[in-house]
Amino acid sequence: MKNVLLSADSAISVFAVPDEAADNLERYCSEFCCHWFYKSPDAAKYRVKMGNLIGAHYNEKDFIDYLNRHVCSEQSALITTLTGVYCEDELPEEYVGLPHFNF
């Protein structure tokens, strides 16, 4: 398991995820938010109708749920939320350099 930084235009959180997901974080996150949401029946609860459009409402915790339920046998978990930290420039030293994805 490796630590990664995830956010959804909110405070950055640190999650432990399987090595494969951490090493390819952008690919896993893109698959989640750009493909799985619009194709999987399991993602229906995240879809919202906005007038004539269908959108998706999700955050980093939903990505972790996706990893745990549909992708990885090794379970990911929240380590901590960095209260008041919204961008990489504000990261405490121990988190600088970790893979980061903002949804």
Side-chain angles (χ1 to χ4, degrees):
M1 299 290 279
K2 292 182 180 175
N3 288 346
V4 298
L5 305 171
L6 299 172
S7 55
D9 296 333
S10 58
I12 295 173
S13 293
V14 181
F15 289 88
V17 301
D19 292 359
E20 171 67 19
D23 293 343
N24 299 284
L25 187 63
E26 187 170 337
R27 180 171 54 90
Y28 277 79
C29 291
S30 294
E31 173 62 30
F32 166 70
C33 64
C34 297
H35 300 288
W36 182 80
F37 260 113
Y38 299 99
K39 295 179 180 177
S40 175
D42 296 323
K45 67 181 181 180
Y46 301 107
R47 295 185 197 118
V48 292
K49 187 167 178 143
M50 298 175 281
N52 293 331
L53 301 173
I54 301 290
H57 181 72
Y58 56 86
N59 62 30
E60 67 276 15
K61 293 176 183 99
D62 299 318
F63 171 69
I64 295 299
D65 185 57
Y66 157 80
L67 283 182
N68 289 340
R69 291 178 186 253
H70 304 287
V71 179
C72 302
S73 58
E74 200 172 10
Q75 297 294 288
S76 300
L78 174 67
I79 302 299
T80 189
T81 297
L82 304 174
T83 307
V85 177
Y86 297 93
C87 67
E88 290 188 49
D89 293 342
E90 301 169 341
L91 287 172
E93 185 64 34
E94 65 264 32
Y95 302 114
V96 171
L98 290 179
H100 178 215
F101 194 90
N102 181 59
F103 291 98

